[in-house]
Amino acid sequence: MHDDRTLVESRLKRVLDERIRPAVYPESVPLTVGIWTAPGEPVPVAEGLAAPRSPITVGDAWGAPWGTSWLTVTGTVPQAWAGRTVEALIDLGFDANMPGFQCEGLVYRPDGTPVKGLNPQNQWVRVASPAAGGETIVLHVEAASNPVILDYHPFLPTELGDKETAGHAPQYKLARMDLAVFDQTVWQLVIDLEVLGELMAELPVESARRWEILRAVERALDTLDLQNINATATSARSELTAALSAPAAPSAHRISAIGHAHIDSAWLWPLRETVRKVARTTANMTALLEDEPEFLYAMSQAQQFAWIKEHRPEVYARVRKAVADGRFVPAGGMWVESDTNMPSSEAMARQFVYGKRFFLDEFGIENHEAWLPDTFGFTGGLPQIIRNAGSKWLLTQKISWSQVNKFPHHTFLWEGIDGTRIFTHFPPVDTYNCSMKGSEIAHAARNFKDKGVARHSLAPTGWGDGGGGTTREMVAKAARLKNIEGSATVHWERPAEFFAKAEAEYPNPPVWVGELYLELHRATLTSQAKTKQGNRRSENLLREAELWCATATLRTGAAYPYDDLDRIWKTVLLHQFHDILPGSSIAWVHREAEATYAKLADELESLIAQAQQALAGNPGERELIFNAAPHERSSVPAGGAAPAPTTPGGCTATERPEGGFTLRNGLLDITIDSDGLVTSVVDVASGRETVAPGTKANLLQLHPDFPNMWDAWDVDQFYRNTGTDLTEVDTLTASATPDRATVRIERSFNSSRVVQTLTLHAGEKRLDIDTEVDWHETEKFLKAAFPLDLHTERYAAETQFGHLYRPTHTNTSWEAAKFEACNHRFVHLDEPGWGVALVTASTYGHDVTRTVRDTDGGTTTTVRFSLLRAPRFPDPKTDQGSHHFHHALVPGATITDAVREGYRIGLPERRVTGSAETVTPLLTVDNEALVVSAVKLADDRSGDLIVRIYESNGGRTRGRLTTSFPLAGAQPCDLLERPWDGTRGDVTLVDGTVELALRPFELVTLRLSQAG
Ligand SMILES: [Zn+2]
């Protein structure tokens, strides 16, 4: 037989495009349209409905960037359409390729009831089925003219990302606004042909099935009268019945589809727009659930449910009903789909606490999967947090974005730093926006790495990033893919159903140990420094506020600010969303975040001050130092307050004859050269030099930084090929008191300026480095380098509830790809018996490299902190302006020292004047390796004290917790403060104290109740 395959395939494409798809709406009449544009920010629905309209017609421009326009469309169904299905077609000027990334609308009935959302892939509103003829149609549309930020030429700098700079030029032209007859049969024919055509394209050319589909398609096309598609669609469909009903092979891959809309809680739109995006999508999805009995939909992020509850109660009522029916599934159990690299231990825990509690309180539902499809890497601390939250599964597809290495599994056990294992699935469809295209389904089946031992994968299905969700076309395609020869099978299933099946079929999955590092988006550890600092400051202040408020409540009976703390936590958690904390949102988002963090800081400072004043007593003239850290310092106990100690003194700063200064405090001898660079740091006790010979520490290095794409997200490895050492010094001065010796260095470069203060305190084996930068660079990366005289194959970087090790070499492609990585408050490097900690108050990105010196054969291991970047997309002015950073170099440090210094740098001492002589801590722990990460009152408002403790050294550790109040009970709990099953955390109450025996990095939450 002659090969006419491509001829028939081309014929299918043209006939579908030019004849069949247009025949879905064979007849139409124009709607009359009126418009009113809100003068500024979005207005309440009632106001939008009531505002006077001006006429507008198809082709007219509308919609300044970030504006809201209220459209009213009116029309009459022609009498001739009686008995037909009639839909309104509302095209606001959509680009079919950009659902969620351009204008959108929410349709209301005249009484203000929301109907459904409108987006480029969903422009229809059913108005009559069957029509009587003569109906008057009135619909209102709240249309958001969100500008396109990520355009066809992506990553070009744009001022559109903030309403303050976006201008007023209309962004869109009104396109089709019609009432139209919807021909269900032709629409079904389109889906039939799409499913078969897309499946056919994925099959091997030599397979019989491919040719059988080709011939069926040809017969169907032959059957159609191209001048009268609507009359011949039924017979064309009947030619396809056999091809559509041939069953799948027994070994076919099995896809659990779940309706979904990935909705970034902020990204290329501000938070306030996400509130409306969620309302549009959920209105759409609840409507689709009513129309499609087999369809199921999952939505993550408790925050988004809370937004609809507050702002669109009518939509929320529909969501509640669909949840109660088991068809709208709250997923993920987190407050938002947060970043996981940077949130602190406590914040990561609270993401689950607030997320799960919301679902439990609102719906009585507890889900067991962490749902993080789009997050930029996963820390080794996360498995234990997931398990402690009462969850057991993780879903993400993001690691498929890695640039270099292909992850070896799709379904596996992921083991964290403490040994907790979480059953994890990476959907092999490699997207969280599956649209049921044949290419996606075939890719999932082909790509699945666990073939032969497992058969199931999950496919989140629906338009996402900016919302949209599943369409009726996707549901119709899924129905045809249930059981069809040549394809994976597709069934709508809830995430929990998928995980249960996947776990059952795969009793011995492979194990991946340690972090799930994303080999991409490494610059999200640095971009938008002020957002990151606001987050870190809030996390620290929340720790202090909870500790001091709990102490004040138990000691003085002061009211505990449950509601304030809840609200503040939720705001902080929201801003850990995976495009806010990582610094990858538009300027508007980061401008607002900075203001929000400032407001939270004021509130938290005031809560802390009130609680401390209550504890210090009033009036009085004694000065007390409060220590919120988990370690004693300056003889002030952890979690208590005591009078200021007398410091040992003894600091000196001496000018060197060759220029520069020497700082001494009896513990460290530090040499700073005439360029203001640190050439020597000697640990006096051991005589050990910290700085590698021939090198200079605290060296600022400036690199060009123009990645190939994703400017705010990415730094590409070639950035290191060139760079400038900032050694020119403008002024160099020193000063000393017995308590401290200080050197101040001023430098200018390009249009920027740096002032650094290096401080040595009396009695402290630590060099503090404060860096003020007035930053006016473009596409540059600023690093602070510390070349250390240390030979080590690995270093420790702090993560949630512990630390993980990374190699200092690049033997394998996996190691080479980690050229920029995350730490929380410290990195620690050591040789047996002697180590160095580098501590940071607010930076996360860093790199560690090694060289061997020609001079003495020794190894120089260089740690560099990443301070600032200057990408121009999506915020063209990222990080411009003034910044302050605080780092510290701690020679001779053990891991215990590193942990202690990490807490210290974020928790400054506070001096309060009052009448009390001391404030005794509520509790003490007698082993420094057991770190108290939170002290708070129980969320159930019972008055019980909640204490979270973790083993911080990575070793087996015993210790005793003693309370300063009579202890009636110590109940191990999960993160939600529910009784823990007791299989972890060896906790025993002995003589009114708690004996603890914890495994390496083990986390335990205790509910302590007072006697009497
Ligand atoms: Zn996302």
Side-chain angles (χ1 to χ4, degrees):
M1 191 171 172
H2 296 296
D3 182 352
D4 63 347
R5 180 176 59 81
T6 53
L7 200 65
V8 180
E9 288 171 4
S10 304
R11 179 184 176 196
L12 171 62
K13 183 178 184 314
R14 182 169 188 194
V15 174
L16 253 180
D17 285 347
E18 296 183 21
R19 296 300 158 88
I20 309 178
R21 286 197 186 98
V24 171
Y25 293 104
E27 292 172 59
S28 62
V29 294
L31 287 158
T32 304
V33 191
I35 189 168
W36 173 77
T37 299
E41 283 293 276
V43 298
V45 174
E47 194 179 331
L49 291 172
R53 306 293 196 255
S54 317
I56 183 170
T57 56
V58 166
D60 288 351
W62 71 281
W66 306 114
T68 299
S69 297
W70 283 82
L71 305 172
T72 298
V73 299
T74 51
T76 304
V77 176
Q79 291 294 346
W81 293 359
R84 319 279 294 273
T85 297
V86 180
E87 294 184 346
L89 294 178
I90 300 175
D91 184 344
L92 299 172
F94 291 131
D95 177 335
N97 294 320
M98 293 197 178
F101 290 88
Q102 51 146 227
C103 59
E104 300 176 53
L106 181 57
V107 179
Y108 296 85
R109 294 193 190 90
D111 66 359
T113 322
V115 182
K116 72 188 281 278
L118 297 173
N119 67 54
Q121 293 283 345
N122 210 327
Q123 306 179 15
W124 57 274
V125 184
R126 180 72 51 91
V127 296
S129 181
E135 294 100 324
T136 301
I137 305 300
V138 181
L139 294 171
H140 303 282
V141 182
E142 181 188 14
S145 42
N146 303 335
V148 173
I149 307 288
L150 197 59
D151 215 334
Y152 283 94
H153 184 155
F155 318 123
L156 287 180
T158 171
E159 298 288 342
L160 287 170
D162 192 335
K163 66 177 175 179
E164 292 185 352
T165 56
H168 304 285
Q171 302 289 295
Y172 299 102
K173 277 190 181 146
L174 219 52
R176 188 173 187 181
M177 306 292 274
D178 285 342
L179 279 181
V181 170
F182 176 71
D183 187 325
Q184 176 82 20
T185 308
V186 175
W187 181 80
Q188 296 285 7
L189 176 63
V190 170
I191 307 290
D192 290 346
L193 287 169
E194 284 181 352
V195 165
L196 287 172
E198 289 164 8
L199 168 59
M200 177 170 72
E202 298 301 323
L203 293 169
V205 172
E206 61 274 16
S207 82
R209 172 64 169 157
R210 180 163 182 151
W211 289 88
E212 285 184 2
I213 294 174
L214 189 84
R215 291 299 157 223
V217 165
E218 184 174 48
R219 286 194 303 277
L221 297 178
D222 289 342
T223 308
L224 278 178
D225 177 349
L226 296 184
Q227 272 62 52
N228 197 351
I229 297 286
N230 302 82
T232 50
T234 301
S235 33
R237 287 197 72 200
S238 64
E239 294 296 335
L240 301 171
T241 310
L244 285 165
S245 53
S251 62
H253 184 65
R254 290 162 196 184
I255 293 177
S256 302
I258 182 68
H260 190 51
H262 185 67
I263 305 183
D264 287 317
S265 287
W267 181 28
L268 304 178
W269 43 86
L271 285 167
R272 67 90 161 141
E273 191 54 30
T274 318
V275 173
R276 301 199 297 176
K277 280 177 174 288
V278 174
R280 290 177 204 120
T281 296
T282 47
N284 231 337
M285 293 303 96
T286 49
L288 190 64
L289 285 166
E290 281 174 20
D291 293 346
E292 302 285 351
E294 292 188 1
F295 176 56
L296 299 168
Y297 184 75
M299 182 164 117
S300 65
Q301 314 197 60
Q303 168 71 82
Q304 298 191 352
F305 288 80
W307 275 333
I308 342 172
K309 184 181 181 186
E310 181 183 347
H311 296 283
R312 290 290 186 280
E314 315 86 341
V315 180
Y316 193 61
R318 283 154 57 173
V319 169
R320 284 189 73 103
K321 181 178 179 308
V323 171
D325 294 344
R327 308 210 23 231
F328 194 114
V329 184
M334 293 175 70
W335 188 249
V336 294
E337 287 181 22
S338 72
D339 181 75
T340 82
N341 282 315
M342 293 173 277
S344 69
S345 311
E346 270 309 305
M348 203 69 244
R350 306 292 171 103
Q351 287 287 355
F352 287 92
V353 171
Y354 282 95
K356 293 194 94 165
R357 186 168 293 141
F358 185 91
F359 291 156
L360 280 163
D361 290 349
E362 290 289 313
F363 310 120
I365 284 176
E366 177 165 14
N367 53 23
H368 295 100
E369 76 288 334
W371 181 276
L372 292 166
D374 192 28
T375 289
F376 310 154
F378 305 87
T379 60
L382 190 56
Q384 183 172 212
I385 295 171
I386 293 172
R387 179 60 52 82
N388 268 262
S391 291
K392 53 184 176 179
W393 302 313
L394 169 68
L395 179 129
T396 182
Q397 63 80 49
K398 197 66 181 184
I399 301 301
S400 72
W401 286 42
S402 278
Q403 274 173 319
V404 181
N405 296 291
K406 194 116 180 96
F407 200 81
H409 321 296
H410 283 102
T411 303
F412 61 101
L413 292 176
W414 175 35
E415 181 179 313
I417 55 171
D418 71 309
T420 300
R421 290 179 171 188
I422 293 292
F423 188 84
T424 299
H425 179 64
F426 293 177
V429 70
D430 284 348
T431 176
Y432 46 77
N433 297 333
C434 176
S435 61
M436 286 291 138
K437 277 207 293 282
S439 54
E440 294 169 330
I441 303 303
H443 176 75
R446 275 197 293 261
N447 188 37
F448 187 54
K449 297 265 189 210
D450 305 84
K451 285 192 274 279
V453 278
R455 267 194 198 149
H456 285 84
S457 75
L458 186 146
T461 301
W463 297 111
D465 290 318
T470 321
T471 62
R472 62 182 176 187
E473 287 77 16
M474 295 175 197
V475 176
K477 285 180 147 185
R480 286 157 177 79
L481 293 168
K482 268 188 200 170
N483 184 18
I484 181 169
E485 186 188 351
S487 171
T489 65
V490 175
H491 293 91
W492 296 108
E493 279 182 319
R494 296 166 188 84
E497 291 165 334
F498 160 74
F499 274 107
K501 281 184 186 173
E503 240 180 343
E505 74 176 359
Y506 207 2
N508 294 301
V511 179
W512 180 270
V513 176
E515 67 183 323
L516 296 169
Y517 179 93
L518 177 63
E519 296 169 358
L520 198 74
H521 294 358
R522 302 164 179 91
T524 57
L525 304 173
T526 306
S527 296
Q528 298 286 4
K530 285 197 164 70
T531 298
K532 291 173 168 59
Q533 289 182 329
N535 173 66
R536 183 68 76 87
R537 185 173 66 234
S538 305
E539 290 172 341
N540 289 330
L541 289 171
L542 276 162
R543 173 195 174 90
E544 289 193 79
E546 288 185 339
L547 169 67
W548 299 126
C549 291
T551 310
T553 301
L554 264 61
R555 287 284 159 65
T556 72
Y560 189 78
Y562 291 105
D563 294 332
D564 288 336
L565 290 170
D566 268 0
R567 176 177 46 77
I568 294 168
W569 260 120
K570 287 174 182 173
T571 308
V572 172
L573 298 177
L574 165 60
H575 286 79
Q576 292 176 342
F577 178 74
H578 66 255
D579 283 306
I580 305 181
L581 181 54
S584 44
S585 281
I586 51 173
W588 188 347
V589 174
H590 292 288
R591 174 170 58 78
E592 284 192 338
E594 203 182 319
T596 301
Y597 284 130
K599 199 163 144 283
L600 296 186
D602 285 348
E603 285 191 70
L604 288 165
E605 290 285 358
S606 144
L607 290 176
I608 293 164
Q610 282 169 33
Q612 290 184 331
Q613 199 58 63
L615 289 164
N618 212 3
E621 287 168 3
R622 287 201 185 90
E623 189 181 66
L624 287 179
I625 292 185
F626 281 76
N627 174 16
H631 310 92
E632 179 185 303
R633 63 191 202 201
S634 307
S635 52
V636 181
T646 50
T647 52
C651 290
T652 59
T654 320
E655 191 155 6
R656 300 163 71 228
E658 60 270 56
F661 298 92
T662 304
L663 308 183
R664 290 195 176 90
N665 69 351
L667 299 171
L668 293 177
D669 286 356
I670 297 172
T671 309
I672 292 156
D673 72 5
S674 55
D675 291 331
L677 299 167
V678 179
T679 53
S680 170
V681 178
V682 175
D683 173 4
V684 174
S686 64
R688 175 84 189 231
E689 173 61 71
T690 309
V691 180
T695 69
K696 295 171 183 191
N698 187 38
L699 173 66
L700 296 173
Q701 297 181 303
L702 192 65
H703 295 275
D705 180 13
F706 186 54
N708 290 346
M709 45 185 195
W710 298 110
D711 298 41
W713 296 254
D714 282 1
V715 55
D716 285 328
Q717 199 160 11
F718 53 72
Y719 90 93
R720 282 193 193 158
N721 297 356
T722 50
T724 310
D725 291 349
L726 303 179
T727 54
E728 296 280 310
V729 62
D730 298 340
T731 66
L732 178 66
T733 55
S735 63
T737 67
D739 291 345
R740 71 178 64 186
T742 302
V743 169
R744 186 174 183 281
I745 306 137
E746 283 188 47
R747 305 182 194 280
S748 338
F749 55 96
N750 305 337
S751 314
S752 305
R753 191 163 161 275
V754 178
V755 178
Q756 283 196 303
T757 313
L758 311 188
T759 307
L760 187 60
H761 293 271
E764 305 280 357
K765 200 194 277 190
R766 181 183 75 238
L767 177 65
D768 281 295
I769 301 159
D770 284 278
T771 306
E772 309 269 352
V773 190
D774 189 24
W775 180 248
H776 298 282
E777 302 302 306
T778 301
E779 290 153 358
K780 296 284 193 303
F781 199 3
L782 181 65
K783 290 255 180 181
F786 296 85
L788 307 173
D789 190 7
L790 257 172
H791 177 78
T792 178
E793 294 208 349
R794 63 175 198 172
Y795 72 99
E798 193 189 26
T799 184
Q800 291 102 1
F801 299 115
H803 53 267
L804 56 88
Y805 290 97
R806 297 194 186 96
T808 60
H809 55 73
T810 54
N811 284 359
T812 69
S813 59
W814 295 84
E815 290 155 355
K818 293 183 184 176
F819 60 83
E820 181 80 11
C822 184
N823 67 277
H824 281 193
R825 290 164 294 198
F826 67 81
V827 295
H828 180 260
L829 310 86
D830 64 0
E831 294 172 5
W834 196 83
V836 178
L838 283 141
V839 183
T840 167
S842 66
T843 60
Y844 298 87
H846 69 274
D847 67 85
V848 179
T849 53
R850 58 197 250 153
T851 56
V852 172
R853 302 185 290 270
D854 291 338
T855 47
D856 65 349
T859 304
T860 300
T861 304
T862 303
V863 178
R864 299 196 307 164
F865 285 125
S866 308
L867 303 191
L868 283 166
R869 298 183 70 237
R872 296 206 298 145
F873 182 88
D875 175 0
K877 296 191 179 67
T878 307
D879 282 331
Q880 301 298 304
S882 60
H883 299 272
H884 173 237
F885 302 100
H886 185 185
H887 294 92
L889 172 70
V890 192
T894 62
I895 276 283
T896 309
D897 297 328
V899 173
R900 187 192 325 104
E901 292 299 335
Y903 274 96
R904 173 202 291 270
I905 205 165
L907 297 167
E909 64 176 35
R910 293 175 183 272
R911 289 171 187 253
V912 180
T913 308
S915 55
E917 285 177 18
T918 57
V919 175
T920 309
L922 287 177
L923 54 102
T924 52
V925 181
D926 68 358
N927 188 327
E928 221 181 4
L930 299 179
V931 171
V932 174
S933 84
V935 174
K936 60 188 281 290
L937 290 197
D939 289 343
D940 63 8
R941 308 196 179 191
S942 60
D944 288 346
L945 191 69
I946 299 293
V947 181
R948 191 140 36 240
I949 298 175
Y950 69 101
E951 198 291 319
S952 64
N953 275 0
R956 240 158 246 282
T957 306
R958 291 183 166 276
R960 182 181 297 274
L961 182 154
T962 310
T963 55
S964 58
F965 55 85
L967 189 60
Q971 167 69 52
C973 293
D974 68 4
L975 295 177
L976 277 79
E977 303 170 8
R978 303 174 294 195
W980 185 245
D981 62 14
T983 56
R984 292 154 59 96
D986 187 353
V987 176
T988 327
L989 194 60
V990 179
D991 299 335
T993 66
V994 184
E995 284 185 0
L996 297 161
L998 301 192
R999 288 181 290 97
F1001 300 126
E1002 186 174 7
L1003 159 66
V1004 62
T1005 303
L1006 296 176
R1007 174 187 287 265
L1008 304 180
S1009 45
Q1010 288 193 72

